[in-house]
Amino acid sequence: MEVSAVSLTAVLLAAGASPSPTSGSPSDSTSGSTAPAVPTLRDAQENATNAASWVQQNLSTWLAMALQIVLIVVIAVALRALVLRAITKLIARMNRSVQAVDQTALGGLLVNTERRRQRSEAIGSVLRSMASFLILGTAALMVLSTFKINLAPLLASAGVAGVAIGFGARNLVTDFLSGVFMILEDQYGVGDTIDAGVATGEVVEVGLRVTKLRGDNGEIWYVRNGEVKRIGNLSQGWATASVDVTVRPSENLDRVKATIAEAGEQMSKEEPWSERLWGPVEVLGLDSVLIDSMVIRLTARTMPGTSVGVERELRWRVKRALDAAGVRIVGGTPTPADEEETPDPSASVAPPSTFSDASSPQSLSASPIPTQPQGKK
């Protein structure tokens, strides 16, 4: 018994506790009322047991949450990588198809390689950003929901912030969305000549917010995509060259038509007009007939962006052909050589004389002075 009492006392002293006081000691009774209670070994064992049981009870929940979070992150990263890889392959396939068409005979005329490349890169950038935002945003929300966080206030705050940002930067959002749809719909691209309403020129760069145009005088126009209400693309498909020839109404129409058709056929066989003309020069017929002239219209389908040059060359050749055939073109103020000289019917009639009227002052002043009789004074 003495050995067991000594060992218990040693254990309590090692745990930082003092031996329990006896009831017969008056000094101990007075000090026990003011000193705090010292935990015993049993209390420490109970606390350790409770902590171990709490950890054991929640360990499975923690492991399940960690596994769920890791699974969400892995799936999100893998899905994002697969989607980005698919987008990259799609863009590469688009570029290969453009290069294949560019190697054909008419590839350089129908396809602008740089235009298609920039368009495909812009589409790929937009698709990558959208895919990353959707996948990673969804994964973040799922991770927050795993921690039992109420997402309703967060989503409500994000919605309010989005509305405020939308009102404050509505022009920026409008420009961005307009640029995305312009690129996806392929309304225009680099190298195209467009009429955007606010400016006209050749497209230098197509962005999601601003489109750069180079005008005829070399100036650069920065056009916001949201301000473009209509677009006239002068470089897609084909263009039309129209020329009006005005001749005198006395000319032989069959002769004039044959002369113009011969000039157009000769032009279509010569370089570089044989590449710029995508169809024969057609004489449509009389556009208008007036008293002193008649207008003959001819058209030709041309390569996009070359209609003005074709019209100038066509006028030059038609004028030379008609001059060689003796057909005069009417235009501007007629010269005296173009008008037929007709005799003036009033040239053979003498102008009226003032002396024909006896009462005129000229006749009275020219009449002789009458003589008076000699008998009268």
Side-chain angles (χ1 to χ4, degrees):
M1 293 296 292
E2 293 179 357
V3 176
S4 61
V6 172
S7 61
L8 180 59
T9 304
V11 171
L12 292 177
L13 291 175
S18 60
S20 59
T22 58
S23 59
S25 177
S27 61
D28 293 342
S29 61
T30 56
S31 62
S33 60
T34 58
V38 178
T40 62
L41 181 60
R42 184 181 299 274
D43 296 335
Q45 292 179 352
E46 290 179 357
N47 293 334
T49 304
N50 295 333
S53 61
W54 181 79
V55 171
Q56 185 177 3
Q57 290 175 0
N58 295 287
L59 182 61
S60 59
T61 304
W62 293 346
L63 292 177
M65 292 175 60
L67 182 60
Q68 187 176 358
I69 292 173
V70 171
L71 187 61
I72 291 173
V73 172
V74 170
I75 292 177
V77 172
L79 182 61
R80 179 176 177 270
L82 291 176
V83 172
L84 294 184
R85 185 177 180 182
I87 293 174
T88 303
K89 288 186 176 181
L90 177 63
I91 300 304
R93 183 177 180 182
M94 293 174 61
N95 292 332
R96 286 197 300 269
S97 63
V98 170
Q99 294 176 0
V101 176
D102 186 52
Q103 295 175 358
T104 59
L106 295 178
L109 303 178
L110 298 177
V111 177
N112 187 335
T113 307
E114 181 65 19
R115 173 182 184 273
R116 299 292 184 180
R117 187 189 65 81
Q118 289 198 10
R119 174 176 177 266
S120 60
E121 292 296 334
I123 293 175
S125 177
V126 172
L127 292 179
R128 292 189 190 97
S129 300
M130 293 178 61
S132 300
F133 177 77
L134 292 177
I135 295 174
L136 297 181
T138 304
L141 293 178
M142 293 178 66
V143 169
L144 292 178
S145 64
T146 304
F147 287 103
K148 308 300 181 181
I149 297 176
N150 189 9
L151 299 179
L154 180 63
L155 296 178
S157 302
V160 174
V163 171
I165 294 175
F167 276 108
R170 57 185 181 274
N171 292 331
L172 180 62
V173 175
T174 302
D175 297 339
F176 179 80
L177 293 179
S178 299
V180 170
F181 283 107
M182 286 179 182
I183 293 175
L184 293 179
E185 295 174 1
D186 195 16
Q187 297 179 5
Y188 56 83
V190 176
D192 291 350
T193 302
I194 65 172
D195 180 6
V198 294
T200 302
E202 182 181 355
V203 179
V204 178
E205 182 180 348
V206 179
L208 295 178
R209 192 181 69 87
V210 175
T211 298
K212 295 182 183 180
L213 303 178
R214 183 174 296 277
D216 296 334
N217 298 326
E219 68 275 10
I220 295 292
W221 296 97
Y222 293 87
V223 182
R224 289 171 46 191
N225 296 329
E227 293 183 351
V228 178
K229 304 302 180 183
R230 61 159 179 87
I231 298 175
N233 197 326
L234 308 179
S235 301
Q236 284 186 350
W238 45 267
T240 302
S242 300
V243 175
D244 292 337
V245 181
T246 306
V247 297
R248 292 178 297 186
S250 59
E251 299 292 344
N252 188 350
L253 290 178
D254 295 335
R255 181 186 177 191
V256 173
K257 181 177 180 181
T259 304
I260 294 175
E262 183 179 357
E265 183 179 0
Q266 183 179 2
M267 177 180 173
S268 61
K269 296 179 181 179
E270 298 179 2
E271 296 290 341
W273 311 109
S274 59
E275 295 181 356
R276 300 179 183 179
L277 285 172
W278 287 4
V281 178
E282 299 180 358
V283 181
L284 300 181
L286 288 175
D287 188 65
S288 63
V289 179
L290 304 177
I291 297 177
D292 56 348
S293 64
M294 57 182 179
V295 179
I296 302 174
R297 173 161 295 184
L298 54 148
T299 61
R301 182 173 295 184
T302 66
M303 182 194 308
T306 61
S307 59
V308 177
V310 172
E311 289 176 355
R312 294 171 180 171
E313 182 67 18
L314 193 57
R315 291 191 189 98
W316 181 281
R317 292 176 178 266
V318 169
K319 177 64 170 61
R320 295 180 59 183
L322 293 180
D323 289 344
V327 178
R328 303 299 299 273
I329 294 180
V330 179
T333 304
T335 59
D338 294 335
E339 298 178 351
E340 297 180 357
E341 297 182 357
T342 57
D344 189 2
S346 62
S348 59
V349 179
S353 177
T354 57
F355 297 100
S356 61
D357 187 5
S359 61
S360 63
Q362 290 81 1
S363 298
L364 294 177
S365 62
S367 62
I369 300 174
T371 58
Q372 297 180 357
Q374 296 180 359
K376 297 182 180 180
K377 292 183 180 178

